[in-house]
Every structure is written in structure tokens, then in C-alpha cells.
Amino acid sequence: MTTPEEEPVTEAELHAWLDGELPDDRRDAVRRYLDDHPEVAHRFASYRAQRTMTARAFAPLIDRPLPDRLKPPFSRRHRALPWLALAASLLAFVAGGAAGWLAHGWSAPGAPSSRAFVAEAVAAHRVFAAEVRHPVEVGADQEEHLVTWLGKRLGKPLRAPRLAGRGYELVGGRLLSDTDGPAAQLMYQDATGRRITLYARPTRDPADTSFRFAHDGNVQAFYWRDNGLAWALTGELDRVTLSGIAEDVYRALNS
């Protein structure tokens, strides 16, 4: 007979963890599963980001009294139906992957597509910057192969900016997938082990080289569009420091 730790991890258990309903004896197994399956870990981070943004977006509705015009003259049981219908609608909306609206809860200016983009970048940062054994797919010792491979997948030339002047060295990078297709993540680390990530994906939007700022808790990001790519620099740094690094990245990419 298999123990709880040996049972395969299911999609339902991932959602149960998000909902705080995963049994204690399964948590270690799910953590190990996510460590060994980075593509699932990335998807799980997206679920978590979507859940957080949805909660923020609709929080004002939760405690608001039901308007009199929506209260049918029926029993108490029937009076709950409008809210049940709303809950079902929101569930279907989230399941449909409406990333543009889900990003509405972010502290980020710009169009919904930009807010969705930076949400993806920050979600990927949260997953892989904390990874100990497999933070990157291809290491910095294969930098030429890394940027050539990622550039080919993005359909645009790619380079890894030098950030040694800011105390950061390239760790490596990986290919990711977001709602619009392939994306690339480059990771850098300083002498203390602090990490920042540079996220890029193709974009059909016009270039906008002005920096925009977004944050979610202690994770902050500067993002912009240039040369057919959308870029986001993300890290757990103060805004001024991260802004300076973003300027260095921009200059390096356009030198």
C-alpha cells in the first residue's frame, strides 16, 4: 500500500493548496513535485497570482450589501441566489484565463496587456529566484548558446546585459511560456545571493521605452517595450536601486 508521500500529485491538490485545504501529510510531496517540475511550478505561480489579483479586484464587492433591487421577494434561500450566480460567473471568468482583467488588481499603470505581462514576469521571478537546485535551465557557462537559443525562440536577437558594475553576475536563463507564447528569463545574482530577473517576450505593441513601475508586496518591477520585445526587470530591491539597474539594462541592450 502506498503512503501519502508516494501518491502522485494531482491538479486538484494544487488547487487545494491554494485554497488552504491540502492535508498536512501531502504538503511535502507537493513541494517536492513542484521542485522537480519547474513548468508546473510556473503554472502554479500563475494560479496564485491570478487568485491574489482576483481577490483584490473583487474584494469591495464581498462585503457590500446586496442592493434591494436584486433581492427577490422569496425565502432566505432564494435571496442567496444572485450571489451564487455572481460567484459562478467569477469562477468561469477566472477559468477562462482572462489575464487582462486579472492584472487589474496590480499596482501597475498602462494597458491591461501590459499589466498582464508584468504579472507574468513577477510570477516567474517568485518561482525561480527562490529555487536552490535548478534556478536556471542553461547556466552562464553556456551564455552564447543560451542567448542564441532564446533569441531564436523569441524570434528576436537577444543578449545578456553585463551588470557587474551593479554587483550582479549572470546565473543563466530559461525558456518559459506565458499567455502570449514563448518568453525568456535571464537571472542575475550578487555576492550575497540576492537575485534579480530579466523577463522578455515578443510584442506587437508599438515601442514605449519609458519605464513603468509595478509592485506586488516586496517584489518590484520596471517594464518597457523596445525593438519588438516587452521587457521586465524584477527583484526584491528598493525602487531607486532597481530603477538604476533597469537603466543599465536598457543602455546595454541598445548599445
Side-chain angles (χ1 to χ4, degrees):
M1 183 177 69
T2 59
T3 65
E5 290 77 9
E6 296 171 335
E7 296 174 1
V9 173
T10 66
E11 190 75 9
E13 287 182 310
L14 295 180
H15 288 282
W17 195 1
L18 283 176
D19 295 336
E21 298 177 354
L22 185 69
D24 292 343
D25 60 358
R26 288 292 290 161
R27 292 182 181 177
D28 287 343
V30 173
R31 288 193 187 95
R32 288 194 299 271
Y33 179 78
L34 293 177
D35 287 343
D36 294 338
H37 297 80
E39 71 286 354
V40 179
H42 176 60
R43 190 174 76 247
F44 180 75
S46 296
Y47 292 162
R48 178 174 286 164
Q50 290 175 356
R51 178 185 176 88
T52 299
M53 289 184 288
T54 301
R56 289 177 179 173
F58 293 105
L61 295 176
I62 300 302
D63 297 323
R64 185 180 301 173
L66 187 64
D68 290 338
R69 60 187 175 82
L70 295 179
K71 295 180 180 179
F74 301 129
S75 66
R76 180 180 307 224
R77 175 184 176 188
H78 288 118
R79 281 199 290 270
L81 291 179
W83 285 118
L84 293 177
L86 175 60
S89 298
L90 294 181
L91 180 60
F93 194 71
V94 172
W101 173 253
L102 292 174
H104 178 75
W106 272 80
S107 299
S113 60
S114 296
R115 294 194 294 268
F117 164 71
V118 73
E120 294 273 9
V122 172
H125 175 86
R126 287 190 184 280
V127 171
F128 296 110
E131 179 62 45
V132 176
R133 295 177 56 192
H134 307 291
V136 296
E137 195 171 1
V138 179
D141 58 330
Q142 301 181 63
E143 180 180 340
E144 183 176 354
H145 162 65
L146 172 66
V147 296
T148 300
W149 169 53
L150 293 178
K152 184 177 297 184
R153 293 305 305 271
L154 298 185
K156 297 286 183 179
L158 196 68
R159 69 172 73 175
R162 296 284 183 268
L163 300 177
R166 294 281 180 172
Y168 286 87
E169 298 291 341
L170 181 68
V171 177
R174 63 173 63 246
L175 179 69
L176 296 171
S177 175
D178 69 13
T179 53
D180 281 353
Q185 183 192 66
L186 299 177
M187 183 179 295
Y188 295 81
Q189 180 172 295
D190 69 6
T192 68
R194 177 177 292 177
R195 291 168 173 173
I196 57 176
T197 56
L198 181 61
Y199 187 92
R201 79 171 184 209
T203 179
R204 292 182 294 275
D205 295 331
D208 181 3
T209 57
S210 59
F211 288 169
R212 298 181 184 275
F213 175 73
H215 69 92
D216 180 37
N218 62 336
V219 179
Q220 310 203 61
F222 280 94
Y223 62 105
W224 67 97
R225 298 191 301 272
D226 194 24
N227 297 322
L229 292 173
W231 300 91
L233 181 72
T234 305
E236 297 178 41
L237 302 175
D238 65 85
R239 181 169 179 167
V240 173
T241 300
L242 192 64
S243 174
I245 298 175
E247 291 174 1
D248 286 355
V249 168
Y250 175 80
R251 284 193 291 266
L253 292 172
N254 287 276
S255 61

